[in-house]
Amino acid sequence: MKNSFILLGLIGLFMILFTICNKDKPFSHNYFTSKTIGIGKNSINIYIHKWDSTNILFINLHENEQTSINAAKEILNIKGGILLELSSGNLLKTRYLKFNLKNKIFKIDPNRIFSSKGIIKTLIEYNNDTSAYHIVKSFSIDLLKNILLFKSKYIIALHNNTKGEYSIKDYTKGAIYANDAKKVYVNNNESQDDFFYVTDERFFDILRKNEFNVVLQDNINVNDDGSLSVYCGKNNINYINIEAAFNHKNTQKKMIRYIINILKV
């Protein structure tokens, strides 16, 4: 009997040590580089961070959305992956990119330049001038090359929103973006500002079953606004957007961690 208690004690001690040793440990930040892409008379930076050999690509296109960047860095430091950031290099981080062309300052939304229609729309909306079309088109091609260079099976976008301005409710029946969505699942126990936006129905089903707010893009009928999600949907690239309100860092970390876990299976 005494030997049995000793054996059970040793097994319990082993399990505790095993749990401690296998707890998530930070990876070394073993790779960082930066590239520049020219646009007009200006250059835009691409910052590339890589932790371990995990080929899961996260992208931030709006440099003011720092909640998503900080959340990703904290999780990728533990789980591994690649983070690509777009930056104008200015101290004042904004959603938009500005560039000089023929002594005129142009402004564009970098998530509205992945189609010809999107480029024209963003140039008209913010400049009322499409003369920079070919400059933006060239920039878009170079940016896509840098994104697709990693040959990742999945492109995971990171975005933040302002409460009251954009949420999953905008994709429900009768709402402004309802026609862009094939399916929508809303968990009323969660913030409507925090949700996934996917192009593959498999991920929609997984996320819905786990009660995350999630939108499935209608890849055929979605409005071509030049966004990366539309480009991916039209080109059969698996795309997942992890959208959360500014300052909802803990929620966004949970969402990032969950996606990495299911993609590594």
Side-chain angles (χ1 to χ4, degrees):
M1 181 66 72
K2 184 177 179 181
N3 289 338
S4 297
F5 281 120
I6 293 173
L7 180 61
L8 288 172
L10 289 172
I11 292 173
L13 179 60
F14 172 79
M15 292 302 294
I16 292 171
L17 291 173
F18 179 83
T19 301
I20 293 172
C21 291
N22 286 276
K23 189 177 180 180
D24 285 338
K25 294 180 179 179
F27 289 109
S28 61
H29 191 178
N30 54 20
Y31 182 82
F32 172 79
T33 190
S34 63
K35 300 180 180 181
T36 59
I37 303 177
I39 181 169
K41 294 182 178 180
N42 301 78
S43 295
I44 304 301
N45 301 311
I46 299 177
Y47 299 141
I48 302 165
H49 309 261
K50 185 174 174 61
W51 294 263
D52 95 327
S53 60
T54 304
N55 194 33
I56 300 176
L57 179 63
F58 291 80
I59 299 175
N60 174 276
L61 294 172
H62 295 140
E63 66 174 333
N64 67 312
E65 297 174 2
Q66 290 291 305
T67 298
S68 67
I69 294 174
N70 294 332
K73 287 180 177 178
E74 289 184 25
I75 296 302
L76 298 188
N77 189 47
I78 296 172
K79 306 294 287 186
I82 304 164
L83 172 62
L84 185 153
E85 298 178 62
L86 206 59
S87 173
S88 64
N90 296 326
L91 291 177
L92 180 61
K93 301 180 185 299
T94 68
R95 176 185 178 90
Y96 307 100
L97 298 179
K98 294 183 179 180
F99 62 93
N100 189 306
L101 180 65
K102 296 180 180 179
N103 297 319
K104 179 176 179 177
I105 303 298
F106 284 83
K107 181 173 79 169
I108 57 171
D109 184 330
N111 196 32
R112 294 292 183 269
I113 61 171
F114 297 103
S115 72
S116 294
K117 286 183 179 179
I119 292 171
I120 291 171
K121 285 180 181 178
T122 194
L123 284 171
I124 290 175
E125 181 176 359
Y126 300 113
N127 311 277
N128 197 30
D129 183 346
T130 60
S131 63
Y133 171 84
H134 293 291
I135 297 296
V136 178
K137 182 66 175 178
S138 178
F139 173 78
S140 172
I141 291 171
D142 286 343
L143 178 57
L144 274 172
K145 284 180 181 178
N146 279 279
I147 292 172
L148 300 177
L149 180 67
F150 295 97
K151 297 181 180 179
S152 177
K153 292 182 180 180
Y154 313 98
I155 292 178
I156 305 172
L158 300 166
H159 286 284
N160 294 126
N161 59 69
T162 302
K163 287 187 177 183
E165 294 185 6
Y166 178 63
S167 76
I168 194 170
K169 294 290 187 179
D170 293 327
Y171 294 93
T172 55
K173 186 175 181 180
I176 185 171
Y177 300 125
N179 292 335
D180 292 344
K182 187 175 181 180
K183 292 183 179 181
V184 181
Y185 171 75
V186 179
N187 181 346
N188 291 316
N189 293 319
E190 301 292 338
S191 171
Q192 64 186 30
D193 303 305
D194 307 328
F195 63 97
F196 290 95
Y197 185 98
V198 303
T199 58
D200 190 319
E201 192 161 359
R202 294 174 302 165
F203 292 113
F204 176 87
D205 290 338
I206 291 170
L207 292 163
R208 177 182 56 79
K209 287 177 182 177
N210 286 275
E211 299 188 336
F212 285 102
N213 289 326
V214 58
V215 176
L216 174 64
Q217 178 175 276
D218 186 332
N219 294 327
I220 296 175
N221 298 308
V222 64
N223 174 49
D224 183 0
D225 60 359
S227 61
L228 187 57
S229 70
V230 174
Y231 174 86
C232 290
K234 299 294 185 184
N235 290 277
N236 297 314
I237 299 171
N238 284 314
Y239 171 95
I240 300 170
N241 174 28
I242 302 178
E243 182 83 34
F246 283 105
N247 299 320
H248 283 198
K249 187 174 76 167
N250 287 337
T251 299
Q252 199 154 26
K253 284 170 62 177
K254 174 185 174 183
M255 296 164 77
I256 293 168
R257 183 188 290 271
Y258 184 82
I259 285 297
I260 293 175
N261 286 341
I262 64 173
L263 294 184
K264 280 188 171 182
V265 172

